[in-house]
Amino acid sequence: MLIQKPKGTFDILPKEAGQRRHILEKIRKTLSNFNYSEIQTPTFENTSLFKRSIGEETDVVSKEMYSFNDDEFTLRPEMTAPVVRAYLENSMYNESPVQKLFYFSNMYRHERPQAGRYREFSQYGIEVIGSGDFTVDVEVIAVGLQILNDFGIRDIKTKINNIGTQQERALFIDDLKKYLTKYLKVLSIDSRKRFEKNPLRILDSKDPSDNEVLENAPVLYEYLSKETKDFFSNVLDLLKDLRIKFEVDYRLVRGFDYYTSTTFEVISDELGSQNAIFGGGRYDMLVEQLGGKPTPAIGFACGIERLMIVLDKNEYEYPEKEALKLFIVSIGEDAKKFVLKTAIALRKKNFKCETDMLNRSVKSQMKEANRLNAEYVIVIGNEELESNEAKLKRMSDGIEIDVSVDKIYELNYNID
């Protein structure tokens, strides 16, 4: 019986690996244009980092983390907390008052696998640490939308909200719980669990009965201070100035406890029920929670697998794989050794070539050259080695020219 991959994981085969490489290179170029710098953190962190940042009552911490060594360490389920930890531990605030960072990382969550949601998954994301100005909120959203636009993805919807400070939310949560108390029996099982521990997350429920109950529930925006509302208005006005279309969704909240103020999601109907391509928001309290000075920050994360689903639905055309320039056919043991040395010499000159590894017949090797779509072929056997002459054949039209065997690695491979 074959051993199979763990549930909720997937293999990245050569074709898809090339597609992913193209995606990451394209994203990296755009982020560089916006002057973001790459950061990498360990695959696992101290478990306390996620409990303190994400919140012990969140689904991720309470049910989905992969922890080991008696729960001392945890495979990262998200990247914001590790980035902030690295920011503090390495005193990055001394390098610049504002750090604009991005990452490409794998994450790990023990959740029910479904389309676009896996137990090991990849994300890219950005974090801006050190500025509380509303223009930063707009830039962060603009970065994510620009990347989608670079891939030709336009059938999307941008949702935005402001969930205020912890103090502003406290009174709202009290009133929300008073309102929901009358409807506990009709709420979904998940919402009943969240009622005591994390009632704000009920606003994010996709359950039809929950949504019906929430239609007349208190609205968080009405509990925000004038200062918070003015900040939000500035964000919305600047988005309009940039002609970025958006929809204010007063029920939009994020799943982690560290979020404050601006929250946003960009969704696509092509993803089904799990329709967010990327999402994020401000987390102005997190740096302080993890032992630093009060420091505003904002960011977002985008799932690479979800992005690829949308690209496939949009029939995105990936660039063609770099063509094989030369296939060297060998005949005999002496020729085989010479061909390998020649192939290695060519590759050292950044020249893409291949040769046979199965001692196949000339006919089979020519078929392999065709399968690999090689631009040119040279056949080398004892006769060619002795005469120091071989024929270079262009596969597209069959034209041949004579070449010196010992000069193969010096040719420009251009018959015209």
Side-chain angles (χ1 to χ4, degrees), residues 314-332:
N314 281 265
E315 298 182 343
Y316 179 76
E317 292 187 9
Y318 292 94
E320 291 291 329
K321 180 180 177 182
E322 181 186 357
L324 185 68
K325 192 73 174 178
L326 175 69
F327 191 98
I328 310 176
V329 175
S330 64
I331 308 171

Side-chain angles (χ1 to χ4, degrees), residues 153-168:
I153 300 173
R154 294 178 177 83
D155 188 17
I156 54 176
K157 184 181 295 183
T158 303
K159 292 189 173 186
I160 189 168
N161 191 21
N162 191 304
I163 60 173
T165 65
Q166 290 179 333
Q167 294 77 15
E168 290 168 341

Side-chain angles (χ1 to χ4, degrees), residues 107-359:
M107 314 295 171
Y108 307 87
R109 297 184 193 174
H110 190 279
E111 56 185 350
R112 183 171 63 86
Q114 51 190 296
R117 188 180 287 268
Y118 302 94
R119 290 177 175 174
E120 180 181 17
F121 57 96
S122 305
Q123 286 183 341
Y124 89 86
I126 68 174
E127 314 289 354
V128 181
I129 306 174
S131 175
D133 195 82
F134 71 88
T135 57
V136 178
D137 300 45
V138 175
E139 177 181 293
V140 166
I141 295 171
V143 170
L145 293 175
Q146 181 60 51
I147 288 171
L148 296 185
N149 187 66
D150 290 343
F151 286 104
I153 300 173
R154 294 178 177 83
D155 188 17
I156 54 176
K157 184 181 295 183
T158 303
K159 292 189 173 186
I160 189 168
N161 191 21
N162 191 304
I163 60 173
T165 65
Q166 290 179 333
Q167 294 77 15
E168 290 168 341
R169 290 198 299 270
L171 182 58
F172 165 73
I173 289 173
D174 284 343
D175 286 352
L176 178 64
K177 290 180 70 174
K178 289 176 185 176
Y179 170 80
L180 292 175
T181 300
K182 300 176 290 184
Y183 303 97
L184 285 178
K185 291 183 179 180
V186 298
L187 289 177
S188 66
I189 294 175
D190 283 344
S191 290
R192 273 179 265 169
K193 291 178 181 176
R194 291 169 174 166
F195 179 79
E196 292 295 339
K197 298 179 178 180
N198 199 358
L200 198 65
R201 292 286 289 130
I202 297 176
L203 299 179
D204 198 35
S205 173
K206 303 295 190 293
D207 186 275
S209 61
D210 290 348
N211 290 333
E212 189 174 337
V213 169
L214 290 169
E215 283 183 5
N216 297 312
V219 177
L220 174 56
Y221 182 78
E222 301 302 328
Y223 292 74
L224 304 183
S225 66
K226 182 180 184 303
E227 181 181 4
T228 301
K229 288 181 177 178
D230 288 345
F231 180 92
F232 192 44
S233 293
N234 285 332
V235 171
L236 301 184
D237 288 343
L238 187 50
L239 288 172
K240 291 175 185 175
D241 288 345
L242 291 171
R243 297 183 179 179
I244 293 175
K245 296 180 180 179
F246 61 86
E247 172 187 312
V248 177
D249 182 353
Y250 292 120
R251 283 173 48 188
L252 176 64
V253 294
R254 303 293 296 161
F256 300 157
D257 286 357
Y258 55 62
Y259 281 110
T260 60
S261 190
T262 304
T263 56
F264 56 89
E265 280 186 354
V266 174
I267 63 175
S268 168
D269 291 338
E270 292 172 335
L271 287 170
S273 59
Q274 301 294 333
N275 59 1
I277 303 179
F278 73 85
R282 279 206 163 271
Y283 48 93
D284 291 341
M285 305 295 294
L286 183 56
V287 176
E288 187 176 5
Q289 279 180 250
L290 296 181
K293 296 178 180 179
T295 306
I298 184 172
F300 74 74
C302 176
I304 299 298
E305 289 78 29
R306 295 190 187 192
L307 176 58
M308 293 185 76
I309 290 173
V310 176
L311 290 177
D312 287 344
K313 295 284 183 68
N314 281 265
E315 298 182 343
Y316 179 76
E317 292 187 9
Y318 292 94
E320 291 291 329
K321 180 180 177 182
E322 181 186 357
L324 185 68
K325 192 73 174 178
L326 175 69
F327 191 98
I328 310 176
V329 175
S330 64
I331 308 171
E333 288 298 311
D334 290 341
K336 181 170 65 174
K337 294 174 185 177
F338 174 83
V339 164
L340 178 60
K341 289 190 292 184
T342 302
I344 291 174
L346 285 166
R347 291 159 181 164
K348 285 180 178 179
K349 295 180 66 175
N350 200 31
F351 192 91
K352 189 171 182 178
C353 63
E354 187 57 281
T355 184
D356 181 57
M357 295 182 173
L358 296 173
N359 295 315

